[in-house]
Amino acid sequence: MPSNVSAAAEQVRAAKSIAVLTGAGVSAESGIPTFRSNGGYWRTHRFEDLATPQAFARDPKFVWEWYEERRRAIAAARPNSGHIALVELERRAPHFTLITQNVDGLHDLAGSKNIIKLHGDIWTLHCVKCGREKLAREVLSDLPPFCECGGMMRPGVVWFGEMLPAGAMERAAEAVRNADVLIVAGTSAQVYPAAGLIPMGRTVIEINPDRTSFSDDVTFSLQGTSAEILPQLLG
Ligand code: NAD
């Protein structure tokens, strides 16, 4: 184990309160492509065509077909050792908050409990008319799906240019400010306001195979994958 990983693990062991911010990279080793890496969704799709309220208003069926394709790919994915290490960390730490930008539900599937989902959840449907939320993991054959009230349902995710779920950012910021250690795993830290949480951390441990704009400023910049490094932080 490289010495900076052991030093970071020491800080994690000593922490009474831990916050974790995860991004798409944490699910890469479960076979779910990230947004910006090679083979990522946005290399093959223009986000303006898919993940905006305007795109949905223009062509809901097209947007839904893409989401349904992603839902089916994600349904086949399983949590990896990085997700599982975070469950164990939650079990050990007196205070633990997992803040995720991911919409895939793999943290829930692994068993994490105290999760703040900044960008929603791909398994939730949201009625654009009555606001009803519905959990639906099944294959949606008739697209777009409709609510019992007659309104159209949309994916329960936050699209580009939309507000985050009410209170989510405030709760996340409070958890980060109160944490002795903030672990930042698998995020390019380019999407705001989520990335704005990183400078709020006291001791910050970043895990990423690549460098980010925060790598020079964090306490520990651990170069490697989350499935490899997160279990090592458990010591
Ligand atoms: P991103 O694609 O911008 O960045 C992914 C980061 O993960 C990169 O910095 C990359 O170097 C790193 N990475 C790649 N493989 C890794 C690994 N094995 N271990 C650790 N790190 C690895 O993703 P982002 O920062 O989360 O931000 C973009 C948006 O993408 C978010 O809003 C999120 O909602 C959305 N998104 C979610 C999923 C998902 O739910 N799984 C998938 C794609 C995109």
Side-chain angles (χ1 to χ4, degrees):
M1 192 188 293
S3 62
N4 59 344
V5 178
S6 344
E10 189 51 49
Q11 298 276 333
V12 170
R13 256 195 307 278
K16 299 237 172 332
S17 177
I18 297 175
V20 181
L21 172 66
T22 64
V26 161
S27 295
E29 286 153 290
S30 293
I32 302 173
T34 64
F35 272 11
R36 290 179 178 78
S37 52
N38 286 334
Y41 287 118
W42 305 127
R43 300 283 164 121
T44 47
H45 298 84
R46 270 167 40 93
F47 72 76
E48 297 89 339
D49 294 338
L50 294 159
T52 64
Q54 293 80 1
F56 189 68
R58 205 164 41 235
D59 194 345
K61 189 170 164 61
F62 178 67
V63 169
W64 256 118
E65 280 168 354
W66 183 68
Y67 271 94
E68 192 47 24
E69 191 186 312
R70 276 184 73 197
R71 283 163 50 94
R72 295 317 3 131
I74 294 171
R78 289 291 161 264
N80 62 55
S81 52
H83 296 105
I84 292 161
L86 292 177
V87 179
E88 178 59 20
L89 210 54
E90 181 166 18
R91 205 185 58 76
R92 293 186 191 181
H95 300 282
F96 180 93
T97 308
L98 176 52
I99 305 155
T100 189
Q101 299 168 84
N102 294 347
V103 298
D104 56 34
L106 287 185
H107 286 305
D108 310 70
L109 203 59
S112 287
K113 298 279 180 271
N114 190 23
I115 310 176
I116 300 174
K117 295 180 186 176
L118 293 180
H119 296 161
D121 185 327
I122 205 163
W123 302 111
T124 303
L125 312 188
H126 177 88
C127 176
V128 297
K129 194 169 160 202
C130 72
R132 181 169 174 242
E133 299 257 315
K134 183 182 162 196
L135 197 68
R137 292 189 72 95
E138 70 272 17
V139 176
L140 302 171
S141 37
D142 274 334
L143 297 174
F146 282 89
C147 178
E148 281 140 33
C149 79
M152 196 185 285
M153 302 290 261
R154 58 164 277 180
V157 301
V158 177
W159 282 327
F160 291 92
E162 289 188 319
M163 304 280 287
L164 267 44
M169 199 53 205
E170 291 74 9
R171 285 190 294 129
E174 194 190 340
V176 170
R177 284 202 200 92
N178 290 337
D180 304 312
V181 170
L182 170 66
I183 300 172
V184 180
T187 177
S188 61
Q190 288 180 34
V191 174
Y192 281 80
L197 293 168
I198 301 170
M200 293 179 196
R202 286 183 219 162
T203 296
V204 182
I205 302 170
E206 182 184 59
I207 301 170
N208 199 310
D210 293 335
R211 294 184 66 73
T212 73
S213 57
F214 288 96
S215 300
D216 285 337
D217 301 319
V218 295
T219 324
F220 299 96
S221 168
L222 307 180
Q223 226 169 340
T225 75
S226 50
E228 179 182 286
I229 308 251
L230 280 170
Q232 293 182 34
L233 289 185
L234 295 171

